[in-house]
Amino acid sequence: MGADDKTIDPLFNDAVEYAITKEYTSTDEIKEHLGIGYNRAALLLEQMEEMGIIAWEYDSETSRYKVITPLAQKITKQEKKEPTTRVANTKRNDSKILGYGGFEWLMAGIGFFVIMFAFISCSSRSLTSEVNYCSDDGVAYSYAKKLISSHLKAPSTAKFASYYDVKSHKLAECKFNFIGYVDAQNSFSAMIRTKFNVVVRYDPDTDKYYLENLDM
């Protein structure tokens, strides 16, 4: 029997949607889930087997249908033509929203809540570890590099000494001194190393860093 639009049972998509939630399925399970007769359930499984959605497994103890999940998921995403005169299955078709069945929406919902939980957890940690700009010289050095770059001939070529290679001193509350070097191109596009001694100050009122002194 060919599995095309003329012979496929109208409940085929519903049967596949149920089958992909399981590792194995049977005629009795399809029969009970869809509320149909045994022969019709067997026909649905036969059509799924012809399309490679399930495969018959048999050993010395059991015989059952193995669900090939990736292919089954692909099949359910395809839009199947329904006869215009059929109205008995309207309730089942209404359970699909935007082409996806209940199982797909359930998995999407679980994923959404996992992402939200992770986001809230990260936000909570970031709030509890708020930076104290008046004592954190690491952040101050980052802004010092930006202020120094504005005085270079080619700021985009600047490569500063790492935070661990510079000498750092806290001169006063919210005021920092850094002594280090920067490699950058000069007016002749030659890469040269220039030593710097810079003092930057953080102003809590304006939430900005200011350049107090720069020797290069």
Side-chain angles (χ1 to χ4, degrees):
M1 179 178 60
D4 54 31
D5 286 343
K6 293 182 180 180
T7 58
I8 283 183
D9 192 291
L11 292 180
F12 180 80
N13 273 7
D14 296 300
V16 174
E17 183 177 274
Y18 170 73
I20 65 173
T21 66
K22 309 173 71 64
E23 185 176 1
Y24 296 94
T25 190
S26 67
T27 304
D28 288 333
E29 287 182 350
I30 297 296
K31 172 179 172 291
E32 293 176 6
H33 178 71
L34 298 178
I36 58 178
Y38 184 89
N39 290 337
R40 189 176 182 183
L43 178 61
L44 283 166
L45 287 173
E46 181 182 345
Q47 291 176 345
M48 282 191 276
E49 185 177 19
E50 288 179 357
M51 298 183 71
I53 298 170
I54 58 175
W56 180 254
E57 279 192 355
Y58 175 82
D59 55 33
S60 59
E61 297 180 359
T62 61
S63 57
R64 54 189 177 179
Y65 284 100
K66 168 74 173 178
V67 179
I68 307 174
T69 305
L71 180 57
Q73 289 176 334
K74 179 180 179 181
I75 294 298
T76 56
K77 291 180 181 179
Q78 296 178 352
E79 182 179 356
K80 184 173 72 68
K81 298 179 181 179
E82 288 283 343
T84 57
T85 58
R86 179 172 178 82
V87 294
N89 198 37
T90 302
K91 185 175 180 180
R92 293 188 184 276
N93 289 338
D94 287 344
S95 66
K96 290 191 173 185
I97 303 174
L98 298 180
Y100 294 94
F103 178 71
E104 288 86 350
W105 281 109
L106 174 62
M107 296 305 295
I110 292 174
F112 172 77
F113 282 111
V114 169
I115 293 173
M116 288 300 296
F117 177 78
F119 174 77
I120 293 173
S121 299
C122 292
S123 298
S124 299
R125 287 195 293 269
S126 63
L127 290 174
T128 56
S129 59
E130 188 174 347
V131 176
N132 184 346
Y133 294 100
C134 283
S135 62
D136 194 319
D137 60 347
V139 176
Y141 182 55
S142 297
Y143 281 90
K145 291 189 292 184
K146 294 179 181 179
L147 294 170
I148 294 173
S149 293
S150 63
H151 290 74
L152 298 175
K153 296 292 184 180
S156 62
T157 65
K159 295 182 179 180
F160 285 86
S162 71
Y163 166 75
Y164 300 101
D165 292 332
V166 299
K167 293 182 180 180
S168 173
H169 304 282
K170 186 176 181 181
L171 302 178
E173 187 67 12
C174 305
K175 185 181 291 189
F176 306 88
N177 170 231
F178 300 100
I179 300 175
Y181 65 85
V182 57
D183 295 330
Q185 290 183 359
N186 59 13
S187 302
F188 302 99
S189 298
M191 205 73 171
I192 62 172
R193 173 164 295 183
T194 304
K195 295 182 179 180
F196 62 77
N197 187 329
V198 62
V199 176
V200 295
R201 174 179 57 85
Y202 173 73
D203 187 345
D205 295 330
T206 60
D207 191 27
K208 291 182 179 180
Y209 281 89
Y210 295 91
L211 180 63
E212 293 259 311
N213 185 68
L214 175 61
D215 292 327
M216 295 180 66

